[in-house]
Amino acid sequence: TFMVPESGSTRSIELYECTEFPHGWKHVHTLMHDVYAVDTTLFHRDRRWWLFSGICDHEGFNSHDELHLFSAPDLFSPRWERHPRSAVVLDARCSRPAGALLEHQGRLLRPAQDCSQGYGHAVQLMQVTELDPLRYTERPAGRLEPGFAPGVRGVHSLAHVPGLTVVDAKRYQRLR
């Protein structure tokens, strides 16, 4: 079991391996250096590792605006190759990752944050229709709005494995 924690402030993408769940983790590899990346997610398909990340590459942009895609033949590769179409998505409504890619009813889905109305406003599910070393395309396939439960004001991420779905949402409450 591996984890890529948020490490934008260190300008790196770090990989940790679980030594004792849930509290034991050890650093095993730096995937990338000198990059401001947020919400990095990894996906393995067709003997290739894919790295999706919100990256702030340009002055005046923020990490909500661009989805960058990289790949490598090995998780511990010293060099991840930037996809030739990267940034593959330029849209605050669906660029920033919101959880690991998942397969559902024969479709590959990428959870994305809708940050168009503020950070973590909603989760937009994007169906990945092409993913290979030369092409990447996706289209909207579903949406989780903040009003799905009383008091929910935003939806930050979605994780799914067979039999379990977890949603990270925000709500405001008064302190007494």
Side-chain angles (χ1 to χ4, degrees):
T1 301
F2 294 98
M3 166 178 67
V4 178
E6 192 65 51
S7 58
S9 63
T10 65
R11 297 197 53 82
S12 63
I13 301 174
E14 307 290 338
L15 183 68
Y16 285 75
E17 184 175 13
C18 185
T19 57
E20 187 177 334
F21 190 78
H23 301 292
W25 296 89
K26 71 174 183 177
H27 179 265
V28 292
H29 187 59
T30 300
L31 299 169
M32 288 188 192
H33 296 275
D34 196 31
V35 60
Y36 183 81
V38 296
D39 296 332
T40 298
T41 53
L42 295 167
F43 180 69
H44 188 256
R45 174 183 257 184
D46 299 330
R47 297 174 27 198
R48 191 145 194 89
W49 282 94
W50 299 93
L51 185 150
F52 295 79
S53 195
I55 293 181
C56 189
D57 254 356
H58 302 54
E59 191 78 27
F61 282 65
N62 67 46
S63 56
H64 308 328
D65 296 334
E66 298 182 5
L67 175 68
H68 290 259
L69 180 59
F70 300 84
S71 69
D74 181 77
L75 181 59
F76 298 98
S77 175
R79 186 170 169 268
W80 286 76
E81 297 174 24
R82 182 181 292 267
H83 195 279
R85 298 198 183 245
S86 200
V88 293
V89 179
L90 296 166
D91 188 338
R93 296 171 299 173
C94 59
S95 288
R96 189 169 179 152
L101 281 76
L102 58 114
E103 304 225 24
H104 182 68
Q105 297 178 344
R107 299 183 302 168
L108 179 59
L109 301 174
R110 184 183 68 83
Q113 288 186 48
D114 180 346
C115 295
S116 64
Q117 297 178 45
Y119 171 69
H121 170 69
V123 168
Q124 177 72 44
L125 289 172
M126 303 301 292
Q127 180 181 351
V128 177
T129 53
E130 290 183 300
L131 174 61
D132 66 43
L134 298 176
R135 294 182 304 272
Y136 180 82
T137 58
E138 63 181 26
R139 65 176 175 241
R143 190 169 171 83
L144 184 58
E145 294 281 348
F148 75 89
V152 172
R153 302 282 187 217
V155 186
H156 177 265
S157 60
L158 180 142
H160 175 80
V161 294
L164 179 66
T165 300
V166 178
V167 175
D168 176 14
K170 64 182 173 185
R171 67 183 186 140
Y172 301 107
Q173 63 187 102
R174 288 180 193 236
L175 298 175
R176 294 178 194 215

